Amino acid sequence: MSKAFASQADLEDKKTTFEQLSPHCWAYTAEGDPNSGVIIGEKYIMVSDATATPAMAQDLIAQIRKISDKPIKYVLLTHYHAVRVLGASAYLAEGATEVIASRGTYELIVERGAQDMQSEMERFPRLFRGADSVPGLTWPTLVVGDGKPGQQGSLEIDLGGVKVQIWHPGAGHTRGDTIAWVASEKVLFSGDLVEYEAGVYTGDAQLEEWPTTLEALRALNAEYIVPGRGEAMKGNADVNKALDYTKRWVTTLFQAGKEAAAADMDLKTAMAHTRKSMDPVFGHVFIYEHCLPFDVSRAYDEAKGIKNPRIWTAERDKEMWAALQG
């Protein structure tokens, strides 16, 4: 029996949690749905990942307004995926003057933002509640760095009483991944570079480089992390658990992809081969069945030498799904 396409059958709302991690940092998490982070200074507020629609962003704004009336001046796009960025316009009325992204993220919006927007809206109808409130693509007003990884291309923002460093630590989930790091409180906002006990979507990933990027994050010795999906992790040991979880997913997946490519399997056979190593470890986690066919497709492509991920369109999504999950 074929599985319902992507997450179209996932219609049950998740419980959201707004949790303080440190004097200035909060996590907005939702049982495996996309997370956001909030940093509240004495003058300004920053939101890391804007939610999928302006209507959905109002839920996060309401939580913030229970504890602060400061302007939400900065919105950080950790990467370009629609489910993370299309809610950004909601913050304009809350004082937003800067939408921040890396050079790589800006380039990806130019290259494939429109296709990704249509694709994701069809994959995740529940996550795009109020889609008619989206005015169009979200464009950064402030582009950070030159595309090279490392803190030399970092931006430091003073929110008043707390400073936030923003930079591109390396490719992984996408080639433009960007983090927010509050060094004084050892809180890391990783976006989808790190997940925990949820599916790791790699459809636009740089799988070979991703583990090195995770080790760059590990070197920060964070005490808290707000991952892209999954609960906020507290204590360095649990931060490392999330890093290890993500690294295991990526390396297991890519190894299977390399084996499939070397044997010149077709994609359906590659999917069955990948399941042998992935299902026993990860088959129980949220959106596993959604992520896996996209992940196998990308792992196989990268193993075959396709460095820049092929663009996912709504049409390609459905063709691939019918072939692999039909």
Side-chain angles (χ1 to χ4, degrees):
M1 182 181 294
S2 63
K3 298 180 175 72
F5 173 63
S7 288
Q8 287 188 352
D10 175 10
L11 302 175
E12 184 178 341
D13 285 337
K14 306 299 181 186
K15 177 187 174 185
T16 58
T17 301
F18 190 55
E19 176 182 19
Q20 186 169 8
L21 302 178
S22 70
H24 297 92
C25 300
W26 279 256
Y28 182 73
T29 60
E31 298 183 310
D33 273 356
N35 297 333
S36 295
V38 178
I39 309 165
I40 301 178
E42 294 166 11
K43 293 182 178 178
Y44 307 115
I45 298 171
M46 175 183 291
V47 168
S48 173
D49 288 324
T51 78
T53 68
M56 296 189 76
Q58 294 302 327
D59 298 341
L60 175 53
I61 290 167
Q63 293 292 336
I64 293 170
R65 288 302 177 223
K66 290 177 183 178
I67 55 175
S68 177
D69 61 358
K70 302 291 190 297
I72 304 174
K73 184 174 182 178
Y74 301 98
V75 176
L76 171 64
L77 313 181
T78 62
H79 58 286
Y80 80 99
H81 285 141
V83 76
R84 302 290 183 177
V85 307
L86 294 183
S89 62
Y91 300 92
L92 297 175
E94 304 298 324
T97 60
E98 298 290 358
V99 176
I100 305 166
S102 69
R103 172 61 56 186
T105 292
Y106 171 76
E107 291 171 353
L108 284 165
I109 296 170
V110 172
E111 178 183 287
R112 59 186 69 199
Q115 296 95 324
D116 177 76
M117 177 176 173
Q118 181 187 6
S119 167
E120 289 200 49
M121 284 182 170
E122 294 195 18
R123 293 183 199 177
F124 297 104
R126 179 176 58 78
L127 293 183
F128 285 89
R129 173 169 49 82
D132 56 354
S133 65
V134 175
L137 295 178
T138 296
W139 293 98
T141 61
L142 182 57
V143 176
V144 180
D146 56 6
K148 296 176 183 176
Q151 290 177 261
Q152 282 118 338
S154 68
L155 170 71
E156 184 172 86
I157 291 176
D158 189 344
L159 299 178
V162 61
K163 293 180 179 179
V164 185
Q165 297 170 13
I166 297 168
W167 82 90
H168 166 60
H173 178 68
T174 71
R175 71 171 186 260
D177 295 310
T178 315
I179 62 165
W181 170 235
V182 181
S184 61
E185 297 172 17
K186 289 194 168 292
V187 183
L188 173 62
F189 300 86
S190 69
D192 281 330
L193 269 174
V194 183
E195 318 282 25
Y196 187 65
E197 288 297 312
V200 181
Y201 176 75
T202 74
D204 300 295
Q206 303 293 336
L207 292 164
E208 186 174 19
E209 297 168 62
W210 198 335
T212 300
T213 303
L214 291 172
E215 292 309 312
L217 298 183
R218 195 188 304 273
L220 295 171
N221 290 313
E223 288 293 330
Y224 305 91
I225 189 169
V226 181
R229 292 178 183 266
E231 64 183 289
M233 305 300 278
K234 308 172 193 72
N236 184 252
D238 279 356
V239 170
N240 282 322
K241 276 172 60 176
L243 292 166
D244 292 341
Y245 171 90
T246 308
K247 188 173 183 178
R248 187 177 186 187
W249 181 296
V250 169
T251 56
T252 304
L253 171 73
F254 194 36
Q255 180 60 35
K258 288 187 285 189
E259 291 164 359
D264 209 23
M265 298 177 187
D266 62 28
L267 199 57
K268 191 170 183 67
T269 307
M271 176 81 159
H273 177 70
T274 303
R275 280 193 178 280
K276 293 175 186 176
S277 52
M278 293 289 286
D279 285 9
V281 183
F282 300 109
H284 65 286
V285 302
F286 183 63
I287 70 165
Y288 175 76
E289 291 294 343
H290 174 140
C291 289
L292 192 64
F294 296 97
D295 289 10
V296 170
S297 298
R298 175 56 193 152
Y300 188 84
D301 276 1
E302 186 168 334
K304 285 286 192 179
I306 299 174
K307 179 66 175 172
N308 191 37
R310 291 188 288 143
I311 294 173
W312 289 103
T313 63
E315 294 74 25
R316 183 188 170 207
D317 283 2
K318 292 192 171 69
E319 288 172 7
M320 179 277 297
W321 192 269
L324 298 189
Q325 292 282 48

